[in-house]
Amino acid sequence: MRRMILAGMAALLLSGGHALADNFPSHSITIVVPFSAGGPSDALARIMAERMQRTLGQTLLIENVTGAGGSLGVGRVVRAAPDGYTIGFGHLGTHVANGAIYKLGYDLVTDLEPVVMLPSNPMIIVSRNTVPAKTLPELLAWLKAKPTPPTAGTAGAGSGSHIAGLYFENVSGIKLQYVPYRGTAPALTDLVAGQIDIIVDQTSNSIGQVRAGTIRAYAVTAEKRVETASDIPTTDEAGLSGFHMTLWSGFWVPKGTPKDIVAKLNGAAVEAMADPAVQQKFRDLGLDMPPKDQLTPEALGTWQKAEIAKWWPMIKAANVRVE
Ligand code: ASP
């Protein structure tokens, strides 16, 4: 019996894990989203999950594991079994910035395997409607003149909205007081209610409220206007020239996940992003598809490392450290 088990294990090793991948997935898969339900990461992951389950033939569940700028949710993925049944959603904040801000207890590059790059989003500068400014120069003047520091909602230290806030402080010289939430969905609710002054938010999160007239938009941090919101000027046009930021995103799995399982997940995600109906949903949210030649796991790994080299100096210079 013992010999049979050993022989079986050897066969499995020799096949490079094919036996595992052949019937993968045989039950539901969980996507860990490290921010609140209803927010931009959640929305993107749900669009992907809905389409990927058609290819994979199993249900893809979303689990929102929130807190500490998404670093708790990523930790959950790092510690999960490397069998393809736990996928982590992440972005520039969770998979780059957090490494410079938190004592994570895991390594963002060596403890995870990249799966695929997902759509990206420019940021948008938005304020509560009761702010008496209509243009970006008016907003900057109002923020500067404010007797108490202007409040900026974020999804926690290291989140996209926080890095964007730091970048905004850098280019405008205005000091912000950050109000952290477990995602920008609850931050946006408070902005609509007039509880905070601004968010430098992902366009996909704020665009619905901007269209509904419940908050005010000043500029998008992109070089070109966003197709679905072409009346909103770019930062270059509106007076904060050079303030460009794109919040890219991706899927990762725990380190040690068999290569052919990673390839199956990658294939399902690539197929989802090639579907015109999915592309339309992303376009409506102001999301840009990743370049076609950047859809391999290796490309995401290379990109993540390049982004670490680019962003860590600025984040470390801002001296944001959460122990
Ligand atoms: N992506 C985050 C969310 O879904 C927000 C952020 O990173 O700012 O809430």
Side-chain angles (χ1 to χ4, degrees):
M1 180 63 184
R2 188 149 164 254
R3 200 182 280 161
M4 264 171 67
I5 293 174
L6 285 177
M9 278 173 66
L12 195 65
L13 287 175
L14 284 176
S15 71
H18 284 301
L20 283 176
D22 279 352
N23 52 18
F24 174 87
S26 59
H27 59 82
S28 64
I29 294 173
T30 298
I31 300 181
V32 175
V33 170
F35 295 102
S36 337
S41 300
D42 186 68
L44 204 167
R46 277 176 205 275
I47 293 171
M48 289 300 293
E50 201 191 331
R51 180 60 181 79
M52 281 170 73
Q53 57 194 12
R54 261 171 49 201
T55 309
L56 293 168
Q58 294 289 344
T59 309
L60 268 72
L61 306 162
I62 304 285
E63 195 184 334
N64 300 90
V65 181
T66 66
S71 61
L72 301 182
V74 178
R76 161 80 70 94
V77 177
V78 167
R79 289 186 304 274
D83 55 10
Y85 289 99
T86 308
I87 307 176
F89 174 91
H91 62 23
L92 168 62
T94 54
H95 285 67
V96 172
N98 282 352
I101 293 182
Y102 295 90
K103 259 203 178 125
L104 289 177
Y106 54 81
D107 189 292
L108 284 168
V109 172
T110 55
D111 287 335
L112 292 163
E113 306 276 355
V115 176
V116 72
M117 195 183 282
L118 295 171
S120 62
N121 213 202
M123 309 303 283
I124 187 166
I125 304 169
V126 287
S127 81
R128 59 180 161 85
N129 261 351
T130 42
V131 166
K134 295 276 184 304
T135 63
L136 186 61
E138 285 171 18
L139 176 72
L140 298 178
W142 182 81
L143 293 171
K144 271 191 191 135
K146 212 170 169 283
T148 51
T151 48
T154 74
S159 62
S161 40
H162 181 223
I163 313 166
L166 294 174
Y167 200 157
F168 175 84
E169 287 187 293
N170 254 349
V171 291
S172 68
I174 294 166
K175 201 89 207 91
L176 300 172
Q177 187 186 320
Y178 294 106
V179 184
Y181 296 82
R182 286 181 171 258
T184 41
L188 186 61
T189 305
D190 267 10
L191 190 73
V192 171
Q195 305 287 345
I196 49 175
D197 295 322
I198 64 165
I199 308 178
V200 190
D201 198 6
Q202 277 164 261
T203 301
S204 58
N205 194 43
S206 278
I207 196 69
Q209 296 293 353
V210 171
R211 283 191 192 120
T214 51
I215 56 173
R216 195 168 302 136
Y218 299 88
V220 287
T221 65
E223 278 164 46
K224 281 196 300 209
R225 291 192 181 201
V226 174
E227 202 186 296
T228 181
S230 56
D231 51 325
I232 303 169
T234 66
T235 34
D236 290 338
E237 291 170 329
L240 269 184
S241 121
F243 180 17
H244 300 151
M245 178 174 160
T246 302
L247 198 83
W248 53 268
S249 53
F251 281 144
W252 283 260
V253 286
K255 179 196 168 160
T257 304
K259 287 256 170 298
D260 37 9
I261 289 184
V262 172
K264 256 192 185 168
L265 294 173
N266 174 283
V270 171
E271 197 175 310
M273 287 187 278
D275 183 331
V278 169
Q279 291 180 351
Q280 186 59 45
K281 286 184 190 162
F282 287 143
R283 212 172 300 126
D284 288 344
L285 289 168
L287 286 154
D288 296 313
M289 303 307 290
K292 284 216 176 69
D293 60 353
Q294 294 294 307
L295 292 175
T296 61
E298 295 72 29
L300 175 58
T302 306
W303 174 252
Q304 183 189 5
K305 283 184 212 142
E307 287 285 280
I308 287 175
K310 174 178 161 189
W311 286 93
W312 278 17
M314 179 189 132
I315 295 164
K316 288 185 175 164
N319 213 8
V320 196
R321 208 53 216 154
V322 182
E323 296 297 331

